Amino acid sequence: MRAFGRVRVLAGATRVSAAALAVGLLAGGCGSGPSGAPGAASSDASGSGATSAPVAPGGPGATPLEPLPTVVPAALAPYYAQRLAWQPCDGGFECTTFRVPLDYDRPGDGDLTLAAARAAAEPAATGAGSREPRLGSLLLNPGGPGGSAVEYLESTARTYDSGVRARYDLVGLDPRGVSRSSPVTCLSGDRMDAFTAVDLTPGDQHGIDDLVAADKEFADGCRKQAGAALGHLSTVEAARDMDVLRALLGDERLNFVGKSYGTFLGATYAGLFPTRVGRLVLDGAMDPALDSVTGNRTQAGGFETAWAAFAKDCAKREDCPLGRTERQAGEQLTALFAAVRTAPLPTGDNGRRLTESQATTGVIEAMYADFLWPKLRSALADARAGDGSGLLKLSDAYYGREADGSYPNLMSANTAVNCLDLPAPFRGPEDVQRAVPDFEQVSPHFGRDMAWMALTCAYWPVRATGAAHTIRASGAAPIVVIGTTRDPATPYAWARSLAGQLESGRLLTFDGDGHTAYGRHSACVDGEVNRFLLTGEAPEQDKRCDR
């Protein structure tokens, strides 16, 4: 899922790995909204008739995201008329690139080049040599914002159900600003090391000044390196890019599996192009109706819920380093964070020491997937013994840091998208300080950190173009929305809200732990989703699954 500071919204662990869950981050602004000033549509200066969809602030009675015209404007026709040149690439996949306008309202102002990859359908004989008909393309997005769909495809395509692989070309499109698609990068590796280590629970003015300086350095790096593109990395624009690719793939309707932030991207597509919705699966759903402060605060509560589940499980195990009750575990974690804040721990990694912010991030990383819980128990035991290497590795995984000290552009893109999609949650440190008690009330262990994480967008060099809104997608085919009851990054209430907003939403609930559900724990969830993708038969409303 995405976060509203430095917390992301990827499905699963922070990296898109062979385990391949989805991705979600907490970045400076969270949530998303269409481009254009809230409540006002902007006309295309070229006379194409393209508009930015109007929205109103979220909350009860918020105006839904309005659909775009069904006819492609003349000024955009050349983009929809491109021919894709697929070329073999690593792992037996095919790769291609195509162009989209930097600014859909001004197509003549320049282009961006986007990258996509596909795993061609693998038809299987069904008897007497006959084969099931191909169903078209199925776009995949792992979340973020900032997660590479191309990398996700390469690591997960062969784990998809054989029936799905037989009838769909699986396609990964890196959204604008991400990985291979005109990527935005804000800081060098050594400066990212400093950024990830800065104190996120400042106790005095000196600490606040250090945090503000780090956020300003990050924002200024993005401004210098991205230029004009920094103002055109919104979710609405990424959804419009998906429609261009849909047409170039030859599909009348978009079929899509989005995880974490990918659910917001998919829901936005449905709101803009409801009549072009095919079979959409939104797993680990975000709620577009939340403003950035509410979104950040409720997400902090989601991580607290996940921590409680971990602590309860840990207390039952012989190797639990935090005591024998959930309460003891919480007290020991708080004590550990305080100790590391005073005296950062050695890690054996080229002189790097584990700071409190990295220790907290390491624990947050492990909340994304319960298969990381044994690694977290071990890391916490080592930290209590004076070795911070385990928690540092988890923190590095969250940010995607490589062994050579380099970073992907995940966090850069994450923050850039979030800061465009919603107005900044806080205008400065004073706002954060006033909000901290509310954050700590819902999340005693992570609330303070996550409140300060959300400060980054206060210093963003371009104005937010979106606002909180609802998505109705009137007239769309059934859309499957999946929520996990103890999801840390996208709290279950968000899935219920999104499914309720969507006119054709069908809520599928997984009673379990971790971020996202499809392809992870439950044969019930997998069966419902695979049947929907293959037949169009959506789950019954409020269907519940467990392991």
Side-chain angles (χ1 to χ4, degrees), residues 50-52 102 110-111 143 177 203 213 243 255 314 350 404 419 425 442 448 450 501 541:
T51 61
S52 298
L102 173 67
D111 295 341
D243 194 59
N255 304 306
C314 183
N350 295 319
D404 63 2
C419 291
V442 300
R448 185 178 182 85
M450 291 181 68
Q501 292 170 41
Q541 188 62 272

Coordinates of all heavy atoms in Angstrom, one line a residue, residues 50-52 102 110-111 143 177 203 213 243 255 314 350 404 419 425 442 448 450 501 541:
A50 N -9.8 17.2 -24.3 CA -9.4 16.4 -23.1 C -9.5 17.3 -21.8 O -9.2 18.5 -21.9 CB -7.9 15.9 -23.2
T51 N -9.9 16.7 -20.8 CA -10.1 17.4 -19.5 C -9.5 16.6 -18.4 O -9.4 15.4 -18.4 CB -11.5 17.7 -19.2 OG1 -12.3 16.5 -19.1 CG2 -12.2 18.6 -20.3
S52 N -9.1 17.3 -17.3 CA -8.8 16.7 -16.1 C -10.1 16.5 -15.3 O -10.9 17.4 -15.3 CB -7.9 17.6 -15.3 OG -6.6 17.7 -15.9
L102 N 3.4 14.0 -21.8 CA 3.8 14.4 -20.5 C 2.5 15.0 -19.8 O 2.3 14.7 -18.6 CB 4.9 15.5 -20.5 CG 5.2 16.2 -19.2 CD1 5.9 15.2 -18.3 CD2 6.2 17.4 -19.5
G110 N 5.4 17.7 -24.9 CA 6.5 16.7 -24.7 C 5.9 15.4 -24.4 O 4.7 15.3 -24.0
D111 N 6.7 14.4 -24.5 CA 6.3 13.0 -24.2 C 7.1 12.3 -23.1 O 8.2 12.8 -22.8 CB 6.5 12.1 -25.5 CG 5.6 12.6 -26.6 OD1 4.6 13.3 -26.3 OD2 5.9 12.2 -27.8
G143 N 1.8 -2.3 -6.7 CA 1.6 -1.3 -5.7 C 2.7 -0.3 -5.6 O 3.5 -0.1 -6.5
G177 N 7.4 7.6 -14.3 CA 8.3 7.9 -13.1 C 8.9 6.7 -12.4 O 9.7 6.9 -11.5
G203 N 13.1 14.9 19.6 CA 12.7 15.3 21.0 C 13.0 16.7 21.3 O 12.7 17.2 22.4
A213 N 15.6 19.4 7.5 CA 16.7 19.5 6.5 C 16.7 18.3 5.6 O 17.0 18.4 4.4 CB 18.0 19.7 7.2
D243 N -4.8 3.2 -20.2 CA -5.8 3.2 -21.3 C -5.1 3.2 -22.7 O -5.6 2.5 -23.6 CB -6.8 4.3 -21.2 CG -8.1 4.0 -22.0 OD1 -8.7 3.0 -21.8 OD2 -8.3 4.8 -22.9
N255 N -8.4 -5.6 -18.4 CA -8.4 -6.7 -17.4 C -7.1 -6.4 -16.5 O -6.0 -6.1 -17.0 CB -8.3 -8.1 -18.0 CG -9.4 -8.3 -18.9 OD1 -10.6 -8.2 -18.6 ND2 -9.0 -8.7 -20.2
C314 N 4.2 -14.3 19.0 CA 5.5 -14.4 19.5 C 5.5 -15.0 20.9 O 6.3 -15.8 21.3 CB 6.2 -13.0 19.4 SG 7.9 -13.0 20.0
N350 N 30.0 -1.9 7.2 CA 30.8 -0.8 6.7 C 30.6 0.4 7.7 O 30.5 1.6 7.2 CB 30.5 -0.4 5.3 CG 30.9 -1.5 4.3 OD1 32.0 -2.1 4.5 ND2 30.1 -1.7 3.3
D404 N 25.4 -3.2 -2.7 CA 26.4 -2.2 -3.0 C 26.1 -0.8 -2.6 O 26.8 0.2 -2.9 CB 26.6 -2.2 -4.6 CG 25.4 -1.8 -5.4 OD1 24.4 -1.4 -4.7 OD2 25.5 -1.8 -6.6
C419 N 2.7 13.1 -3.2 CA 2.7 14.5 -3.0 C 1.9 15.2 -4.1 O 1.4 16.4 -3.8 CB 4.1 15.1 -2.9 SG 5.0 14.6 -1.5
P425 N -0.3 16.4 4.3 CA -1.0 16.3 5.5 C -0.7 17.4 6.6 O -1.5 17.7 7.4 CB -0.7 14.9 6.0 CG 0.6 14.6 5.3 CD 0.6 15.3 4.0
V442 N -3.9 5.8 18.4 CA -4.3 4.6 17.6 C -3.1 3.7 17.4 O -3.3 2.5 17.1 CB -4.8 5.1 16.2 CG1 -6.1 5.9 16.3 CG2 -3.8 5.8 15.4
R448 N 3.9 7.9 16.5 CA 4.8 9.1 16.5 C 5.6 9.1 15.3 O 5.8 10.1 14.6 CB 5.6 9.1 17.8 CG 6.4 10.4 17.9 CD 7.2 10.4 19.2 NE 8.0 11.6 19.4 CZ 7.5 12.7 19.9 NH1 6.2 12.8 20.3 NH2 8.3 13.8 20.0
M450 N 5.2 7.6 12.4 CA 4.4 7.7 11.2 C 3.8 9.1 11.0 O 3.6 9.6 9.9 CB 3.3 6.6 11.1 CG 4.0 5.3 10.9 SD 2.8 3.9 10.8 CE 2.1 4.3 9.2
Q501 N -18.2 2.2 -2.3 CA -18.3 3.3 -3.2 C -18.5 2.8 -4.6 O -19.3 3.5 -5.4 CB -16.9 4.1 -3.2 CG -16.6 4.8 -1.9 CD -15.2 5.3 -1.9 OE1 -14.7 5.8 -2.9 NE2 -14.5 5.2 -0.8
Q541 N -21.5 -11.1 -2.8 CA -21.1 -10.0 -2.0 C -20.8 -10.4 -0.6 O -21.5 -11.3 0.0 CB -22.3 -9.0 -2.0 CG -22.0 -7.7 -1.3 CD -20.9 -6.9 -2.0 OE1 -19.7 -7.1 -1.7 NE2 -21.3 -6.0 -2.9

